[in-house]
Amino acid sequence: MKTILEVQNLCKSFEDNQVLNNINLKVEEGEFLAIMGQSGSGKSTLLYNISGMDRPESGNVFLCGKDISKLDDEKMSEVRLDHMGFVFQHSYLLKNLSIHDNIVLPGFRSGKMPREQVNQNADILMKDTGIDSVANHDIKKVSGGQLQRAAICRALINKPEVLFGDEPTGSLNSSTTKEVMDIINDVNKDGTTVIIVTHDSKVAARADRVIFLMDGNIHAELKIGKYEDYEEKRPLREKSLNQWLEKQGF
Ligand SMILES: Nc1ncnc2c1ncn2[C@@H]1O[C@H](COP(=O)(O)OP(=O)(O)OP(=O)(O)O)[C@@H](O)[C@H]1O
Ligand SMILES: [Mg+2]
C-alpha cells in the first residue's frame, strides 16, 4: 500500500489555545478516513492544515511524498486545485452561475485539461450523480441534495487524488445524506482517497478507518475495513462504531 498523505508532528494553536498537539497520521492511497471528535476538538482545524487551507505552526504534511507544508500561497493553490477536492457543509456554489458552469469553473481555472475535456468530465460527473437534468438550472432553483451533489462534481472536476470533506452531509436530511454518501463511497471505490470530518456515525461507518480527536491529539483509532456489501453489513458496522464511540465518551 502506498501512503498518499503523511502528517508528521503537526501542531497548531490559536493564540494560547493549542488545538492540535503533535498529530501523526498516515493515509493510504484509496483509503476512506473519517475524522470524529467532540465539537471544538479540532477536526476542521486538522482538515484545513492537512489540505493546505491553513498552515501548520510546526510539523510537516507530505502529499504523494512531497512536503506541502512550506509551499508559498501560489504553489499551494495550484496543488489544491489540481490534486485536492473539497466539499463543505454548505455547497458554496456561485449564485450567478448555473450548476454546469459552477462545476467546470475549477477545471477552466486549473488549465490541466483542455476545456472540451473539462466539459466532458462535467457531463459524466453530473450523469453519475444524477444531476444532469438540472445542469443548466440556476443554483437557487435546485434542492439541497442536488446542490451538494453539484459541489461533489465541482470537487472532482480535476480528478483529484484526495477528496476532503468537512461535514459534507451536515445540512442534509437522512435520505439525502444516504444518497450523497453513496456517491462518496462510489468515488472512493473508483480509487480517490477520501478524508471527511463528520459527527454522524452513520456517515463514519462507511469509512475504512475512523480517528477520534481529543485534547489536540488522535485519542483512538478504529479500523472498520473496506466498505463492501454495505447494506448487508451496515447494522454491524454502525453498531461496532457506536460502541467504540461510546467508549471515547462521544
Ligand atoms: N481561526 C480561528 N481563530 C481562533 N480560534 C480558532 C480558529 N479556528 C478554530 N479555532 C478554535 O480551535 C478549536 C477547534 O476548532 P475546530 O473548528 O477545529 O473544531 P471542530 O472539531 O471542527 O468543531 P465542530 O464540530 O464544532 O465543527 C476551537 O476551540 C476553536 O474555537
Ligand atoms: Mg468543524
Side-chain angles (χ1 to χ4, degrees):
M1 269 295 197
K2 192 176 142 206
T3 300
I4 193 153
L5 190 93
E6 180 163 4
V7 181
Q8 289 177 351
N9 310 316
L10 175 70
C11 297
K12 180 76 179 180
S13 35
F14 296 105
E15 289 161 10
D16 55 357
N17 178 11
Q18 174 111 39
V19 178
L20 302 176
N21 182 15
N22 213 39
I23 300 269
N24 286 285
L25 175 67
K26 270 188 194 179
V27 182
E28 303 298 336
E29 191 173 46
E31 194 176 356
F32 181 170
L33 177 76
I35 303 171
M36 297 191 81
Q38 303 288 0
S39 178
S41 59
K43 303 180 295 295
S44 298
T45 305
L46 176 61
L47 196 80
Y48 300 162
N49 278 272
I50 63 178
S51 61
M53 288 170 63
D54 197 358
R55 297 296 166 136
E57 183 183 314
S58 60
N60 302 84
V61 179
F62 298 89
L63 177 72
C64 303
K66 194 172 162 237
D67 191 351
I68 59 165
S69 54
K70 291 169 190 71
L71 294 179
D72 63 36
D73 289 352
E74 199 182 330
K75 282 261 156 31
M76 194 62 241
S77 330
E78 275 174 31
V79 169
R80 283 209 308 270
L81 193 56
D82 292 345
H83 303 282
M84 300 172 174
F86 296 88
V87 189
F88 301 94
Q89 180 169 359
H90 302 287
S91 66
Y92 297 117
L93 297 178
L94 298 174
K95 286 189 188 70
N96 51 347
L97 295 182
S98 68
I99 292 284
H100 169 272
D101 290 354
N102 265 286
I103 293 170
V104 295
L105 191 62
F108 292 171
R109 275 183 54 215
S110 154
K112 188 170 147 187
M113 287 172 265
R115 287 192 170 215
E116 203 176 303
Q117 198 186 333
V118 174
N119 282 321
Q120 273 175 12
N121 283 354
D123 289 344
I124 295 169
L125 286 165
M126 287 189 292
K127 211 173 201 146
D128 286 352
T129 55
I131 54 167
D132 46 331
S133 63
V134 296
N136 297 313
H137 280 44
D138 190 302
I139 70 150
K140 277 166 260 159
K141 293 192 180 135
V142 301
S143 71
Q146 286 170 325
L147 278 181
Q148 207 55 334
R149 289 185 224 189
I152 294 172
C153 294
R154 179 186 54 184
L156 296 175
I157 193 73
N158 290 329
K159 301 185 182 289
E161 280 83 358
V162 188
L163 177 67
F164 292 96
D166 191 358
E167 309 271 10
T169 60
S171 47
L172 303 177
N173 64 29
S174 61
S175 69
T176 320
T177 292
K178 185 183 176 307
E179 287 165 21
V180 164
M181 286 313 300
D182 282 346
I183 292 168
I184 291 181
N185 275 120
D186 283 345
V187 167
N188 177 244
K189 213 174 190 175
D190 288 343
T192 308
T193 305
V194 176
I195 304 178
I196 60 169
V197 166
T198 183
H199 63 266
D200 184 345
S201 62
K202 280 191 157 62
V203 168
R206 291 163 168 268
D208 308 341
R209 177 163 60 120
V210 185
I211 57 172
F212 193 86
L213 292 190
M214 199 194 278
D215 301 327
N217 220 316
I218 298 173
H219 177 74
E221 172 178 294
L222 179 72
K223 289 201 169 99
I224 317 179
K226 252 307 161 223
Y227 160 103
E228 273 157 14
D229 306 321
Y230 182 68
E231 278 314 318
E232 191 189 318
K233 293 188 184 144
R234 188 164 58 94
L236 211 63
R237 288 176 77 105
E238 286 176 5
K239 192 173 165 206
S240 57
L241 176 60
N242 282 325
Q243 282 171 346
W244 178 80
L245 286 170
E246 217 169 287
K247 266 196 230 153
Q248 316 311 324
F250 190 71

